[in-house]
Amino acid sequence: QVDRYLYQLRLSHDVLLDVKARFQAEMVKGLGRDTNPTAAVKMLPSFVRSLPDGSEKGDFLAVDLGGSQFRAHQVKVFDDGKQSSQLESKFYPTPKEVTQGNGAELFNYIADCLSDFMETKNLKHKKLPLGFTFSFPCKQTKLEEGVLLAWTKHFRVRGVQDTDVVSSLHKALQKHKANVDVLALVNDTVGTMMTCGYDDQHCEVGLIIGTGTNACYMEEMRHIDLVEGDEGRMCINTEWGAFGDDGALDDLRTEFDRELDLGSLNPGKQLFEKMISSLYLGELVRLILLKMTKEGLLFNGKVSTALLTKGKIEMKHVSAMEKYKEGLSNTKEILTELNLFPSEEDCVAVQHVCTIVSFRSANLCAAALAAILTRLRENKKLLRMRTTVGIDGGLYKTHPKYAKRLHKVVRRLVPTCDVRFLLSEGGSGRGAAMVTAVARRLAAQRRHIDAALAPFLLPLAVLRDVKDKMRAELEYGLKRETQAKATVKMLPTYVCGTPDGTEKGKFLALDLGGTNFRVLLVKIKSGRRRSVQMYNKIFAIPLEIMQGTGEELFDHIVQCIADFLEYMGIKGARLPLGFTFSFPCRQASIDKGTLVGWTKGFKATDCEGEDVVDMLREAIRRRNEFDLDIVAVVNDTVGTMMTCGYEDPNCEIGLIAGTGSNVCYMEDMKNIEMVEGNEGKMCINTEWGAFGDNGCIDHIRTKYDREVDEGSLNPGKQRYEKMTSGMYLGEIVRQILIDLTKQGLLFRGHISESLRKRGIFETKFLSQIESDRLALLQVRRILQQLGLDSTCDDSIVVKEVCGAVSRRAARLCGAGLAAIVEKKRENRGVERLQITVGVDGTLYKLHPHFSRVLRETVKELAPQCDVTFMLSEDGSGKGAALITAVAKRLHNVGQK
């Protein structure tokens, strides 16, 4: 009979899955900026952005308002490697005149109790940080501020709603001259999560099932429309007690739920809480027993005063009656005390009613919790997730079977989650202290991280100074008497013209400048249907060849050429060849290039001071299989300028921003003192990577730059390149990460073996980590590949470090380029210059922000120049062929 009578309170597995889906939809609604105002589940941001990491320490105070007693706590957190803390508390009653009075009385009472506690503990002389656990829905705009949205539980204090409760507490504490700094306002649910999070770092959900009920969890910032920023995570206080206030649960609410709601202090509100929290379950049982008695199903139809008295049956009665072993005798005793004089059958029936009511509570709680766990798993893009739920509340702790039922149903509803349930020791007061401790740790960390990264934030005045110094160095390199001492060598390339569209023929091109070597066949057509067709093959250059002998290196190059010629079926043809050689060369003519010094990790012996064209010719002779007409030796920067110049005649500057960094530009012959003649122009390969080798930019080099330089193959050389090029940026980041880890600001102070390895942090990781589309979860995966076990907070810091290093590189590069475009403007003697820069290099192409920051910096530092940046699609190989074609054209013109 009871089963039939209470059929609506029994919820099937399918119904619970449906409730889970409804709650998931409510969460999305609550997180959206446009949908939040009408959402029943408010999903309030708590501004708690981080879980404890075990490094917290110090002495903290906490006060806890929300239950039948007010609590004051002193929490000592020890940094002893054991993650231990000590909690001392004092309980104060919260009289009805306080919970139903006015705001001034409430906050004076809190300040009174706290002052008493501090006196008892002899803490009056100390200035201690305080965490305020306030277990009511608040709208927070920061951690230490919260506007009360509505009272819940049995509180009805006038004049507090829609005001900031922290400032009210501050005023009351000032009156009492309490030496306290309120650092955090914390919901009891958040406090529970933080308490458990200190003991178990997998804990990212907090759950309260007691007088009230609520849940919180760590949500990805990118999903929280109500808060600016999309980095990291923030704890969301769901305030799920209001689930169903918009009618979403009306089909599951029984006549008893409706009757209970109408008789409550807040009809129509907190409907989910009224179905599952201990404040209401006893009353729900009373209403069911009353109706059953009226219909003659219990107590011979005799309605006692107890059944008619609201609140007479409490949760403690329900819990006691559900204890199976002593349950029936407990039930008989309790019902007799209530003057109900039950029979054996009555006791069994009442026990059954209690079981069904509390079981429904556990089922509904499990369905909503399953929705949160599913969202967490989906946020992390995991097929299976391990997590911990921190729990507090009288119903969970004291009811004989509630915890077991809840665990079982949650695991059935989310089989893809391995869930551990951890009981909160020390409650939300300890949690408030933990939130405060974490806030203090994060503030200290922020100061240290800001200090480490401050030297990378170059103000405009510093960048102008870099631009002016670069300009001065350009002039030194062009003048005969200063050129020998100049760090920026300003090497003449003997490329005296850019393509005019009449170039045609078949050309070979070689491209050597990094770990890969390319051989290309380039077919150029002129006329109306002018076009460039390219065929190429890429060959690897092993490290032992890069750092072996010069003879081995050039023999390897010729072997690659032979393979390509055979592959293309053109081994017998004697084609004109352009050799892109991306290292500093001093040229005496277009087909002679003496290597000044290796860069980019090359160390081949017996090459520096030698003509690389001669070395290539000798290697071809040694092989004795084919012959080639080597017309031009070309720097990759010049090749890039020529490639873009073929498309845009206004392109007179070439920039490489990749593994290395360099610029070339068309300079007036009259300014180039190292070369005879004053007519026309010649392309100058600046070799600006060596800018600063004379110490002129030492004031902006950081200790990390010095460490990278000292550990490089060429200490003291290419200093500007080491601050701006892809080969070194990852290593700068690695040095910063090691320093921050040593300070205990990252990776819990543990330097992994992989982080100790030079070169492990490649520049491609900067591009991946800084991608706007990349969630922090994926950043963590990249760091895991490097053997770095990072938290979400670590990932944010790593992303910030990468951003500081790459932004500085782009701005320094922009300052150098601004010096060159300003020089071009003065050369032409114009008020306003329009010019195109041809660009190549992986840093410019692949990094998500480098190109934008570079362009913005040039615009800021050279406001009278309209600079167009043109990406070189086909690289410097095509440029080498074009230079060869232009050289052939100019040679033919000369002969005629």
Side-chain angles (χ1 to χ4, degrees):
Q1 276 185 319
V2 173
D3 273 354
R4 216 172 37 246
Y5 199 81
L6 298 179
Y7 175 75
Q8 226 191 326
L9 287 165
R10 288 185 171 279
L11 305 174
S12 69
H13 182 67
D14 286 345
V15 168
L16 292 178
L17 286 173
D18 185 42
V19 173
K20 174 188 158 189
R22 291 185 210 182
F23 191 73
Q24 278 180 288
E26 288 293 323
M27 290 168 79
V28 173
K29 200 173 169 187
L31 288 169
R33 182 177 275 113
D34 298 332
T35 47
N36 176 273
T38 57
V41 178
K42 284 297 177 195
M43 304 294 282
L44 302 171
S46 68
F47 291 82
V48 170
R49 296 171 186 269
S50 179
L51 294 163
D53 71 353
S55 67
E56 291 77 16
K57 60 182 175 185
D59 232 345
F60 302 91
L61 288 172
V63 291
D64 192 342
L65 181 75
S68 52
Q69 291 181 305
F70 171 75
R71 292 173 287 180
H73 313 273
Q74 181 190 6
V75 184
K76 290 184 177 182
V77 184
F78 303 104
D79 183 20
D80 54 5
K82 296 174 190 167
Q83 280 186 235
S84 55
S85 64
Q86 182 185 314
L87 175 73
E88 291 184 44
S89 308
K90 192 168 178 184
F91 292 68
Y92 299 86
T94 41
K96 195 168 181 181
E97 59 268 24
V98 170
T99 61
Q100 311 282 311
N102 67 47
E105 288 162 354
L106 171 70
F107 289 104
N108 278 333
Y109 181 71
I110 294 172
D112 268 339
C113 296
L114 183 60
S115 293
D116 172 73
F117 178 73
M118 289 175 76
E119 205 149 313
T120 309
K121 297 288 171 195
N122 194 24
L123 298 172
K124 283 277 191 182
H125 62 288
K126 286 186 177 180
K127 185 168 176 71
L128 291 176
L130 175 123
F132 181 18
T133 302
F134 188 75
S135 310
F136 306 93
C138 280
K139 184 179 180 183
Q140 289 187 250
T141 47
K142 45 187 160 181
L143 187 59
E144 68 282 10
E145 189 178 278
V147 172
L148 176 66
L149 295 177
W151 286 113
T152 56
K153 302 164 190 158
H154 55 280
F155 279 72
R156 289 291 166 278
V157 182
R158 298 182 302 280
V160 180
Q161 202 166 318
D162 300 322
T163 66
D164 174 22
V165 295
V166 176
S167 64
S168 299
L169 178 60
H170 264 303
K171 281 176 198 159
L173 289 169
Q174 278 170 347
K175 272 189 206 165
H176 285 71
K177 296 188 169 54
N179 197 13
V180 171
D181 192 10
V182 185
L183 284 191
L185 176 72
V186 184
N187 182 280
D188 56 347
T189 326
V190 180
T192 297
M193 181 189 76
M194 294 297 272
T195 299
C196 296
Y198 187 65
D199 300 320
D200 178 345
Q201 284 174 350
H202 285 101
C203 182
E204 48 195 345
V205 181
L207 176 62
I208 299 276
I209 319 167
T211 319
T213 181
N214 194 12
C216 69
Y217 72 103
M218 295 301 287
E219 176 60 86
E220 301 286 321
M221 280 289 288
R222 69 183 188 276
H223 296 148
I224 309 170
D225 283 355
L226 308 168
V227 179
E228 289 301 310
D230 56 3
E231 295 291 308
R233 300 195 300 169
M234 182 181 284
C235 182
I236 289 291
N237 163 20
T238 65
E239 285 299 334
W240 77 5
F243 178 35
D245 287 8
D246 56 358
L249 295 176
D250 279 3
D251 56 324
L252 299 178
R253 291 173 71 227
T254 64
E255 57 180 300
F256 308 112
D257 293 310
R258 280 187 271 277
E259 194 178 339
L260 180 145
D261 176 43
L262 287 170
S264 70
L265 285 167
N266 54 350
K269 291 184 178 174
Q270 299 295 108
L271 297 182
F272 187 61
E273 182 167 86
K274 285 169 186 170
M275 294 166 87
I276 63 174
S277 83
S278 63
L279 190 64
Y280 300 99
L281 293 192
E283 182 62 8
L284 200 58
V285 167
R286 182 188 74 82
L287 291 171
I288 293 166
L289 298 185
L290 176 62
K291 186 165 185 191
M292 289 175 75
T293 307
K294 282 180 177 176
E295 293 186 10
L297 296 171
L298 285 173
F299 315 125
N300 293 322
K302 290 178 184 170
V303 178
S304 71
T305 313
L307 282 183
L308 291 168
T309 308
K310 187 178 166 187
K312 195 71 178 171
I313 297 178
E314 296 174 37
M315 193 61 221
K316 65 181 179 184
H317 299 136
V318 176
S319 295
M321 288 191 280
E322 276 197 77
K323 287 179 181 164
Y324 278 162
K325 281 183 184 167
E326 61 269 32
L328 280 180
S329 59
N330 278 353
T331 305
K332 188 164 183 133
E333 201 178 302
I334 290 162
L335 294 175
T336 305
E337 277 176 22
L338 295 169
N339 296 321
L340 291 166
F341 310 108
S343 65
E344 190 86 5
E345 288 80 10
D346 289 339
C347 290
V348 171
V350 170
Q351 193 180 54
H352 203 47
V353 169
C354 291
T355 300
I356 288 170
V357 166
S358 60
F359 211 131
R360 182 185 73 156
S361 164
N363 276 336
L364 287 170
C365 187
L369 182 58
I372 289 173
L373 293 169
T374 302
R375 183 170 178 86
L376 267 176
R377 185 181 61 76
E378 287 171 355
N379 279 352
K380 293 181 178 187
K381 296 181 171 60
L382 294 172
L383 293 173
R384 189 165 198 88
M385 178 181 76
R386 177 186 167 199
T387 194
T388 298
V389 176
I391 305 196
D392 203 355
L395 183 54
Y396 183 87
K397 285 177 175 175
T398 59
H399 190 283
K401 299 183 193 71
Y402 198 95
K404 197 174 177 183
R405 285 173 190 161
L406 178 73
H407 301 174
K408 191 176 175 183
V409 180
V410 167
R411 286 178 178 130
R412 198 174 73 227
L413 293 173
V414 277
T416 49
C417 293
D418 301 316
V419 189
R420 179 187 179 209
F421 292 87
L422 182 60
L423 195 58
S424 165
E425 299 295 337
S428 51
R430 181 167 168 241
M434 278 303 150
V435 171
T436 311
V438 169
R440 197 161 76 163
R441 166 174 66 78
L442 291 177
Q445 279 182 344
R446 174 47 43 208
R447 285 195 299 276
H448 288 301
I449 289 161
D450 286 349
L453 298 182
F456 289 86
L457 307 173
L458 303 176
L460 214 51
V462 171
L463 291 171
R464 284 199 184 99
D465 179 54
V466 171
K467 180 187 90 166
D468 294 344
K469 281 177 173 159
M470 177 67 86
R471 178 64 194 272
E473 293 294 319
L474 300 176
E475 300 292 355
Y476 289 148
L478 287 171
K479 289 189 166 44
R480 186 175 274 109
E481 68 269 21
T482 51
Q483 207 276 339
K485 291 180 191 168
T487 50
V488 179
K489 286 296 179 194
M490 305 295 281
L491 303 171
T493 64
Y494 295 85
V495 170
C496 296
T498 50
D500 68 356
T502 64
E503 295 76 17
K504 60 184 177 182
K506 283 185 188 176
F507 303 89
L508 270 182
L510 311 179
D511 190 351
L512 179 72
T515 49
N516 288 330
F517 169 62
R518 278 200 314 163
V519 186
L520 306 94
L521 175 65
V522 183
K523 294 179 181 176
I524 304 173
K525 286 184 184 169
S526 61
R528 270 197 325 187
R529 290 188 160 183
R530 70 182 198 144
S531 66
V532 178
Q533 283 179 298
M534 296 201 304
Y535 308 90
N536 75 83
K537 206 168 180 189
I538 296 174
F539 302 89
I541 299 204
L543 188 66
E544 61 270 19
I545 299 279
M546 283 169 69
Q547 299 186 5
T549 67
E551 199 168 286
E552 286 167 340
L553 174 63
F554 281 92
D555 283 348
H556 179 76
I557 289 170
V558 172
Q559 172 69 55
C560 298
I561 297 169
D563 289 352
F564 179 75
L565 295 175
E566 201 159 301
Y567 170 73
M568 294 299 298
I570 52 170
K571 210 160 192 182
R574 189 174 187 272
L575 296 173
L577 179 139
F579 183 13
T580 301
F581 187 75
S582 309
F583 303 93
C585 280
R586 199 175 296 287
Q587 289 185 248
S589 64
I590 198 164
D591 62 349
K592 288 191 185 305
T594 303
L595 177 63
V596 174
W598 286 118
T599 56
K600 301 178 213 170
F602 275 73
K603 272 284 186 183
T605 57
D606 307 321
C607 295
E608 292 181 3
E610 298 295 324
D611 182 355
V612 293
V613 177
D614 285 347
M615 292 185 84
L616 179 60
R617 284 188 180 124
E618 277 169 32
I620 292 170
R621 272 200 292 274
R622 275 196 299 277
R623 191 170 180 93
N624 200 24
E625 276 183 27
F626 53 85
D627 194 18
L628 297 169
D629 174 18
I630 304 169
V631 173
V633 61
V634 182
N635 182 276
D636 57 345
T637 324
V638 183
T640 296
M641 182 188 77
M642 293 297 268
T643 301
C644 295
Y646 188 70
E647 308 294 333
D648 178 353
N650 209 21
C651 180
E652 291 200 350
I653 299 174
L655 166 68
I656 297 284
T659 314
S661 177
N662 195 14
V663 157
C664 71
Y665 72 102
M666 296 303 288
E667 178 58 89
D668 292 357
M669 283 289 287
K670 65 176 185 285
N671 296 331
I672 310 169
E673 293 185 5
M674 305 298 292
V675 180
E676 293 300 313
N678 286 331
E679 293 303 309
K681 293 179 183 178
M682 182 184 286
C683 181
I684 290 291
N685 164 20
T686 65
E687 286 299 335
W688 78 0
F691 173 50
D693 289 5
N694 58 0
C696 71
I697 55 169
D698 275 4
H699 62 296
I700 61 167
R701 289 172 77 227
T702 65
K703 62 178 179 178
Y704 310 112
D705 294 307
R706 284 189 281 276
E707 279 161 2
V708 169
D709 179 36
E710 283 159 19
S712 68
L713 287 166
N714 53 350
K717 293 182 177 173
Q718 300 295 108
R719 289 183 182 178
Y720 183 64
E721 181 169 78
K722 284 171 185 168
M723 296 166 85
T724 55
S725 79
M727 186 163 187
Y728 301 98
L729 298 191
E731 185 58 17
I732 297 171
V733 168
R734 187 183 75 89
Q735 292 292 349
I736 299 170
L737 298 186
I738 286 175
D739 187 35
L740 295 180
T741 308
K742 280 179 182 170
Q743 293 181 52
L745 304 171
L746 270 179
F747 313 128
R748 299 183 187 88
H750 301 310
I751 300 175
S752 69
E753 277 311 305
S754 60
L755 194 58
R756 293 179 197 278
K757 288 180 193 160
R758 187 169 291 280
I760 190 80
F761 205 99
E762 296 172 48
T763 299
K764 70 175 180 185
F765 294 132
L766 271 79
S767 296
Q768 290 167 6
I769 286 168
E770 286 189 72
S771 169
D772 291 332
R773 297 186 305 279
L774 204 65
L776 282 175
L777 192 68
Q778 288 146 302
V779 174
R780 285 178 76 175
R781 285 198 188 126
I782 292 167
L783 295 173
Q784 274 162 1
Q785 288 168 25
L786 296 168
L788 300 167
D789 182 20
S790 69
T791 62
C792 183
D793 296 337
D794 291 337
S795 303
I796 293 171
V797 174
V798 171
K799 194 166 183 174
E800 201 178 331
V801 170
C802 291
V805 170
S806 60
R807 182 175 170 78
R808 182 190 68 162
R811 282 174 75 73
L812 280 175
C813 196
L817 193 56
I820 285 172
V821 295
E822 275 291 322
K823 184 169 194 340
K824 287 289 295 176
R825 187 179 69 79
E826 287 174 27
N827 282 357
R828 284 197 200 169
V830 292
E831 268 295 303
R832 192 152 202 92
L833 175 74
Q834 290 203 323
I835 196 160
T836 299
V837 177
V839 196
D840 202 355
T842 47
L843 194 55
Y844 187 90
K845 283 179 175 175
L846 301 180
H847 190 281
H849 309 299
F850 187 94
S851 58
R852 174 183 54 79
V853 176
L854 171 70
R855 290 194 301 270
E856 287 168 0
T857 307
V858 172
K859 197 170 184 177
E860 274 183 300
L861 296 175
Q864 289 168 277
C865 302
D866 300 322
V867 184
T868 303
F869 288 82
M870 183 179 186
L871 200 58
S872 165
E873 293 303 334
D874 305 305
S876 47
K878 176 181 170 184
L882 285 164
I883 287 167
T884 307
V886 170
K888 278 280 181 194
R889 170 171 63 79
L890 294 174
H891 179 69
N892 293 341
V893 168
Q895 278 189 327
K896 281 177 189 173

